[in-house]
Amino acid sequence: MRKPLLATLTAAAALAGTTGTAAAAPDRASGATPTAATAAVHPDSTPASVTAASFAGTVALSNCSGSLVRMPNSQATDPGLVMTNGHCLETGFPSAGQVITNQSSTRSFTLLNASAGTAGTLKANKVVYATMTDTDVTLYQLTKTYAQIQQSTGIAPLTLSATHPVQGHAIDVVSGYWKRVYSCSVDGFAYRLKEGQWTWKDAVRYTPECQVIGGTSGSPAIDTTTGQVTAINNTTNESGESCTLDNPCEVNEQGAVTIRKGIGYAQETYGIPACFTTGNKLNLSATGCTLPKPTAVSAR
C-alpha cells in the first residue's frame, strides 16, 4: 500500500533528465523485484514470448496509478469515471469504517495512449465514492463525458467486469504511473486481508510474477481473456511482517493468519457496477449493491 517516496522520485527524475516519470519507457516486468528508482530508469527487458499489453485508458496520478473506467451499462454521454485506490485519495487515507461520497475535487489525471504516451489530461469535479473498508477504491467523476474524451484523445474507457475474478486466469496489472505492466495469474483469494487498521474482503492474490511496487497502487488488473478490469491493485507484503502497514496478512474463516512475503494483492471490482445507475450515478441503495455505505460521521 506504499506510495512512492519523494527521494526516490527525485533520484529517478535526476537520472532520467526530466521530472517525475515522463521519460520512463513502457515496460513489462519480469520476475525480478525492481526498486522504484530502477523501475523508471532501468526497465527490465521484455520477454520475447510475451505480447505487450496496451496502456490505453490507464492514467497517472501525482502518486498512484488508475484508469478511465465505465460500467457495463454506461453510455457515451455519461460523465467519465476514473478509478484508483482509496489510499490514493488526495485528502489522505480514509479511516477504517469511513466512506466518502460526493466530495468536491479538482484533481487532474494524465491519460495514456496504447504505447504509454500522453493522450491528454482529465479533470475531476468530485469524488463520487472512496473507502478503504471491505475494499480499497476511489471513483472520481470527470468534467467530460466518455464521448467528449474519446473525441479529443482517441481513448475509450476500460470496462469493469460484473463477474467475480476467476482463479487461474491470466491478468495484466497496468501501471500508468510507472508505465509498466506486471503479468501473472490469479493465484487465489484471501477471505480477509488485514493491513494495519484496515480489513478487505475476498481479495485477489497474485502469483509471484506480479512484483508490484510503490506507485502501482490503483492500477487496473485486466483479465487477459476478457479484456475487462477484474480487480484494482492495492498492496503487497514487503518484509514478511504480520498484518502491519505494507505487510498485509491473510485471515481465513477460522481466524488463522497466513503471511506471504513478497506476494501482491488486488481488490475485486465486480461489485461496483451494481451501485451505479443511469447516467453513472452512484446509488448505494440499488439492488445488488454491497459497497459499504457512509454513516453520518464518516461521510463528508
Side-chain angles (χ1 to χ4, degrees):
M1 201 163 69
R2 187 184 301 278
K3 297 181 182 180
L5 300 177
L6 181 59
T8 299
L9 295 181
T10 302
L15 289 170
T18 185
T19 59
T21 57
D27 177 43
R28 177 175 292 275
S30 68
T33 305
T35 65
T38 57
V41 183
H42 303 292
D44 301 325
S45 58
T46 302
S49 61
V50 179
T51 301
S54 173
F55 288 84
T58 61
V59 304
L61 287 68
S62 56
N63 52 10
C64 286
S65 298
S67 54
L68 174 66
V69 297
R70 64 180 295 276
M71 307 301 154
N73 295 324
S74 293
Q75 302 299 309
T77 53
D78 292 341
L81 299 171
V82 160
M83 182 178 72
T84 188
N85 282 147
H87 76 261
C88 293
L89 189 66
E90 66 266 39
T91 52
F93 290 14
S95 300
Q98 184 179 15
V99 176
I100 297 166
T101 59
N102 299 315
Q103 176 176 283
S104 178
S105 176
T106 57
R107 198 165 194 182
S108 295
F109 315 91
T110 301
L111 180 65
L112 303 186
N113 60 24
S115 59
T118 299
T121 299
L122 306 177
K123 293 185 178 182
N125 54 23
K126 69 177 176 179
V127 175
V128 177
Y129 185 88
T131 193
M132 290 178 66
T133 299
D134 294 353
T135 185
D136 185 7
V137 67
T138 297
L139 288 152
Y140 289 91
Q141 180 178 287
L142 303 177
T143 58
K144 293 184 178 180
T145 66
Y146 296 119
Q148 290 171 327
I149 293 168
Q150 188 161 7
Q151 183 177 23
S152 61
T153 67
I155 303 300
L158 302 175
T159 299
L160 292 187
S161 173
T163 59
H164 192 280
V166 179
Q167 186 173 11
H169 270 210
I171 54 174
D172 282 335
V173 180
V174 188
S175 171
Y177 186 90
W178 289 121
K179 301 180 179 179
R180 291 174 62 92
V181 179
Y182 299 80
S183 296
C184 58
S185 298
V186 176
D187 183 55
F189 307 96
Y191 173 72
R192 296 290 184 268
L193 191 68
K194 293 181 64 67
E195 181 172 341
Q197 64 177 283
W198 299 281
T199 300
W200 303 306
K201 296 180 178 179
D202 196 22
V204 171
R205 181 196 316 118
Y206 300 145
T207 53
E209 294 81 10
C210 280
Q211 293 288 312
V212 292
I213 60 174
T216 62
S217 291
S219 300
I222 300 172
D223 186 314
T224 62
T225 300
T226 65
Q228 296 186 341
V229 178
T230 193
I232 180 171
N233 177 67
N234 81 310
T235 193
T236 187
N237 186 298
E238 295 185 0
S239 57
E241 295 179 7
S242 179
C243 313
T244 62
L245 190 64
D246 302 318
N247 291 282
C249 64
E250 297 184 23
V251 183
N252 69 12
E253 292 92 330
Q254 291 74 41
V257 174
T258 301
I259 303 164
R260 303 178 191 269
K261 182 180 179 180
I263 295 299
Y265 297 89
Q267 300 309 307
E268 298 167 351
T269 52
Y270 77 99
I272 294 175
C275 303
F276 281 79
T277 57
T278 303
N280 268 357
K281 293 181 179 179
L282 178 70
N283 182 358
L284 295 175
S285 298
T287 301
C289 177
T290 59
L291 287 176
K293 298 173 176 58
T295 64
V297 174
S298 70
R300 67 171 187 244

